[in-house]
Amino acid sequence: MNELIEKLKDISKKPVFLKAAVAAGILAIVLILVSDLSGGKDEKAGAADENASVTFGYSDVYADSMDTKLCELLTSIEGVGKAQVMLTVSSTEEYVYAETVKRGTSQAENSYVIIDKGSQKEALVKKVNNPSIKGVVIVCEGGDDPRVCEKIYKAVSTALDISTSRIYVAEMK
């Protein structure tokens, strides 16, 4: 046994072994990084708990898109001038999957509708719910005028279907 340990020590001191060990370590790190980046993309079909909500970072994209649209809308209102908009969302995009119901004599059994996409099977998406809007902050040039603020409150409340208590308007400096 001691001879085997001595041989391993001798082998580990050779430059070829060190290069191979370093290469194996780098390969392991690269594989871990690649698996983290690609993991979770095709996990739509699966258990019911996993299908309740799927997050793709869409909420940030949605908020940014709505910020831009809202800013364009507000700057077209008379008296607003330049404007900056920050919109926050309280949830992520949610997928609702199509289900089938099998009724038995005493109970019903629900299951997701699965479609075949070549080599993969996925649950059929019935609809996609956008993130819910939590609040809006608007900083604009006309933010000190009560008449302009009232127009902004009405426009934002109507466009986003939120109460005016979730909207804050301030004057731009």
Side-chain angles (χ1 to χ4, degrees), residues 28-47:
I29 291 170
V30 168
L31 288 174
I32 290 169
L33 290 174
V34 168
S35 69
D36 283 347
L37 292 175
S38 67
K41 288 183 181 174
D42 296 321
E43 294 180 7
K44 282 186 187 174

Side-chain angles (χ1 to χ4, degrees), residues 48-67:
D49 294 339
E50 294 173 23
N51 284 326
S53 173
V54 179
T55 305
F56 293 103
Y58 176 77
S59 59
D60 292 333
V61 173
Y62 178 75
D64 289 344
S65 170
M66 293 303 291
D67 286 349

Side-chain angles (χ1 to χ4, degrees), residues 6-24:
E6 289 299 320
K7 285 183 182 179
L8 288 174
K9 285 182 182 178
D10 290 339
I11 291 173
S12 67
K13 291 179 184 176
K14 294 182 180 180
V16 173
F17 178 81
L18 291 174
K19 288 179 184 176
V22 169

Side-chain angles (χ1 to χ4, degrees), residues 66-78:
M66 293 303 291
D67 286 349
T68 304
K69 289 179 181 178
L70 198 55
C71 192
E72 289 174 7
L73 174 73
L74 294 174
T75 55
S76 67
I77 294 174
E78 184 180 344

